[in-house]
Amino acid sequence: MRSNGMRMVVAAAIALLGAGCGTALPQGPQIVTESPMSNQMFAVRTTIGMGVADASGMRGDRVGDYREIGFSQDNSLAYAIDGDGVVTAMETAELLVSSGRIDCRCTRVFPLHDAVIGWWRDGAIMQADLRTPDPVVLRSISLPEPRDPLGEGATLTGTELIALDRNRAVLTRIESVPGASWGINHLYVVDLNSGAVQQFGRIPEVNTVFRQAVIAPDGRSVAVAGYSRDNVACGTASVHRFDLVAGTADSAGPPFPSCSSIADIRSDGTDIVLTRLVWDRTEPQTLTSSTVWRYRDGWTQVGADPVVRVITAPLALELRHTGQATPFGTIGGDLYVDGKPVLYNVIDVRTPH
């Protein structure tokens, strides 16, 4: 058993993790158990903060405003991005906070290799090590003009990074007319080693900006979540798969009824997994269905409605929706491990790579 002195060191270290938050908030519970962290751990984001947990419950947590959580590619650190766009990290072996804080001024980062993460800033892919944060440019990117013509009166209004790994970046350039609330996407994939740019052109069937994408575990394809509005509150989701070898695209996804959206799309290490939400057509603020779908040779449903996340390895995790939900808002619920409820008011869960 650890000494009281060690328990004080660990608790103090976790307290430092929240130092990157904006407004100072009351500190949440710290260490719940005393045994060392195991490879059965996972990271959670809750309605009041973030933490690292295992099947026995929360091991260390922090109250605060966090946008995203995750693990470094080598699983040696769990990181969190706070509401000010600052990244902090915790050593997973001993729950000790690493020495650096990265002001990425971003809402999302991507694990690249070892303890290095990457993000988008001002036309460049940036990178930094979570332990010794000294951000540098990984590659400056200058995208060519779109291969497909723009619509009448439209211009290119911005560029978004929607997926990144150590070899490639997936970006969308947004086409819109002045004052419009819609946008048409032009998709690009950039080889970070050679700088070569692959264009997939204009995606006219989607009239909102792409926000989420995932690179397949084998690196041969990209899946992008789409959404087409048909009025202010309702629309239809879609998923688009781009074959990077053949240079082709298809829109074969799970069944997406009217008034649907995709809450999350990710890789679970072998397959692509997404969360499909369906809303009441006459009362679009009412969530009627939440299901998880996995793509291997085709799309199949996993887990029972209403489920927000389903993870099968290394632990059987299910995040089951409870409470209120709003379109494109926060969707939370109760987290089950091996069929038993462990944590409540959870928004997201991430497992090691």
Side-chain angles (χ1 to χ4, degrees):
M1 182 174 291
R2 296 181 179 180
S3 68
N4 289 336
M6 178 57 74
R7 292 172 64 188
M8 292 176 65
V9 169
V10 174
I14 294 175
L16 288 173
L17 181 63
C21 297
T23 304
L25 294 170
Q27 196 169 292
Q30 298 301 300
I31 299 300
V32 178
T33 67
E34 297 181 354
S35 57
M37 294 296 291
S38 72
N39 60 2
Q40 302 296 298
M41 63 189 173
F42 48 89
V44 294
R45 183 164 69 98
T46 71
T47 54
I48 61 170
M50 61 81 61
V52 175
D54 63 15
S56 65
M58 194 76 83
R59 306 300 301 275
D61 70 345
R62 180 70 186 180
V63 173
D65 169 26
Y66 294 98
R67 296 172 175 173
E68 187 179 81
I69 53 172
F71 287 92
S72 61
Q73 195 66 47
D74 63 6
N75 297 322
S76 65
L77 297 119
Y79 63 79
I81 308 174
D82 69 24
D84 293 327
V86 175
V87 184
T88 50
M90 178 192 298
E91 299 281 352
T92 56
E94 298 179 356
L95 288 178
L96 297 178
V97 173
S98 65
S99 59
R101 298 169 67 248
I102 303 171
D103 183 8
C104 71
R105 286 170 280 167
C106 60
T107 59
R108 190 178 182 190
V109 298
F110 302 85
L112 298 180
H113 60 85
D114 303 312
V116 176
I117 58 170
W119 65 95
W120 177 254
R121 181 189 293 172
D122 300 331
I125 303 295
M126 306 294 297
Q127 68 172 7
D129 191 294
L130 287 166
R131 289 191 178 89
T132 55
D134 184 15
V136 297
V137 174
L138 173 61
R139 178 173 283 277
S140 295
I141 294 177
S142 179
L143 296 174
E145 289 300 306
R147 74 177 193 189
D148 298 331
L150 305 186
E152 183 177 356
T155 60
L156 295 174
T157 59
T159 301
E160 300 278 349
L161 175 69
I162 55 176
L164 178 69
D165 66 15
R166 66 185 304 170
N167 295 312
R168 60 194 63 79
V170 183
L171 302 106
T172 180
R173 298 184 79 179
I174 300 102
E175 168 193 338
S176 187
V177 298
S181 58
W182 55 266
I184 301 295
N185 299 272
H186 295 254
L187 197 76
Y188 297 76
V189 179
V190 179
D191 187 309
L192 297 180
N193 300 304
S194 67
V197 178
Q198 186 176 14
Q199 289 203 54
F200 285 92
R202 195 173 189 262
I203 317 297
E205 60 267 36
V206 177
N207 61 10
T208 63
V209 177
F210 286 148
R211 299 295 185 190
Q212 301 182 82
V214 60
I215 300 169
D218 62 8
R220 297 171 61 87
S221 63
V222 174
V224 183
Y227 178 77
S228 295
R229 298 193 314 176
D230 56 11
N231 58 44
V232 173
C234 213
T236 304
S238 58
V239 62
H240 307 266
R241 295 180 60 251
F242 300 91
D243 188 316
L244 304 185
V245 178
T248 57
D250 70 67
S251 300
F256 290 112
S258 175
C259 236
S260 59
S261 60
I262 295 174
D264 180 79
I265 186 167
R266 66 178 67 183
S267 166
D268 69 357
T270 56
D271 303 322
I272 292 173
V273 182
L274 64 80
T275 302
R276 187 197 71 177
L277 306 179
V278 180
W279 308 86
D280 188 292
R281 181 73 186 180
T282 58
E283 297 182 13
Q285 299 295 314
T286 302
L287 181 65
T288 61
S289 173
S290 174
T291 52
V292 172
W293 297 75
R294 173 175 284 120
Y295 182 87
R296 187 167 293 174
D297 297 322
W299 290 98
T300 56
Q301 183 178 335
V302 293
D305 190 0
V307 67
V308 182
R309 303 281 186 275
V310 175
I311 298 171
T312 57
L315 289 173
L317 303 175
E318 279 197 4
L319 178 55
R320 301 177 187 175
H321 169 65
T322 59
Q324 299 297 312
T326 57
F328 305 105
T330 298
I331 308 293
D334 302 337
L335 183 64
Y336 287 70
V337 180
D338 294 328
K340 300 177 181 178
V342 173
L343 297 170
Y344 304 93
N345 300 315
V346 175
I347 298 170
D348 196 11
V349 56
R350 294 277 177 175
T351 55
H353 301 284

